[in-house]
Amino acid sequence: MERKVNFNINGKKVDLNIDSRELLVDVIRDHITLKGTRIGCDTSNCGACTVIVNGKAVKSCTMLGVQADGKEIITIEGITQGEELHPIQKAFMERHGMQCGYCTSGMIMTAYWLLSNRKNPSDEEIKRYFSGNLCRCTGYQDIIDSVRHASELMHSEEEKIVVEQR
Ligand code: FES
Ligand code: FES
């Protein structure tokens, strides 16, 4: 059965007619054609499909598109600042938090959620927040280092903004 939904994605309003059985990840990839959100499993395990829904990280393969009605969604495409990469993206590049890259958009969105809640997460907190994200390449230590580095980069950007505003 077709249903009408409207939600806000990366700051833009969308109105869509979708099948009520469609998963949010398919709506994002196929209807809105934002392909940065990945599908890595059929079992809700890998976290490659992670997006932010109303401020919380959500595996978009575990949610129906119709459940996004009226919500605010952020995907990996929504965190870049124009041509400029987000500090989390820079940190993953600088600390080698990726190899094949398949898990990376989900990892970065989880980091975005974590660092929105905790400015200076401990390694234990990082591990806890990332417990739903799998990576078959990195061995995870470089991801933890990337998240720590992202937190430093975000602090120094905030300090720069404060100095510029003085
Ligand atoms: S594709 Fe959603 S958890 Fe793997
Ligand atoms: S970098 Fe290949 S799965 Fe994580």
Side-chain angles (χ1 to χ4, degrees):
M1 192 176 60
E2 280 226 328
R3 282 268 309 272
K4 202 173 168 53
V5 289
N6 62 73
F7 51 81
N8 185 304
I9 186 158
N10 301 335
K12 288 188 193 134
K13 280 191 166 186
V14 292
D15 284 293
L16 295 171
N17 286 316
I18 59 171
D19 190 305
S20 53
R21 293 167 302 179
E22 275 181 280
L23 299 173
L24 179 59
V25 65
D26 294 322
V27 173
I28 291 171
R29 288 177 54 84
D30 300 338
H31 289 266
I32 310 173
T33 62
L34 292 175
K35 303 284 188 184
T37 302
R38 302 281 169 75
I39 301 170
C41 69
D42 281 329
T43 52
S44 314
N45 276 318
C46 74
C49 62
T50 303
V51 298
I52 308 296
V53 179
N54 282 4
K56 277 181 124 176
V58 168
K59 292 178 179 178
S60 57
C61 73
T62 63
M63 185 171 162
L64 293 169
V66 290
Q67 292 175 300
D69 195 34
K71 302 219 161 58
E72 302 264 338
I73 298 169
I74 306 172
T75 68
I76 187 74
E77 291 87 351
I79 66 166
T80 49
Q81 296 143 356
E83 297 287 297
E84 184 78 6
L85 291 178
H86 189 279
I88 300 173
Q89 294 171 304
K90 287 184 196 160
F92 270 69
M93 284 175 62
E94 289 169 11
R95 291 293 185 275
H96 314 289
M98 71 190 98
Q99 287 181 29
C100 79
Y102 203 86
C103 69
T104 308
S105 40
M107 292 289 179
I108 287 176
M109 296 317 288
T110 301
Y112 185 91
W113 176 49
L114 165 60
L115 296 172
S116 309
N117 290 314
R118 305 277 304 149
K119 277 191 166 184
N120 268 315
S122 65
D123 284 2
E124 282 318 304
E125 283 171 316
I126 297 173
K127 287 179 195 166
R128 188 152 39 81
Y129 270 71
F130 280 81
S131 59
N133 291 76
L134 301 182
C135 175
R136 54 193 288 174
C137 307
T138 61
Y140 299 102
Q141 188 56 50
D142 287 342
I143 291 175
I144 295 172
D145 293 347
S146 300
V147 175
R148 247 195 266 115
H149 183 46
S151 138
E152 289 157 12
L153 291 181
M154 287 169 78
H155 279 311
S156 61
E157 289 223 340
E158 276 171 18
E159 279 163 20
K160 221 175 8 174
I161 292 167
V162 173
V163 171
E164 280 165 9
Q165 283 171 347
R166 274 189 195 146

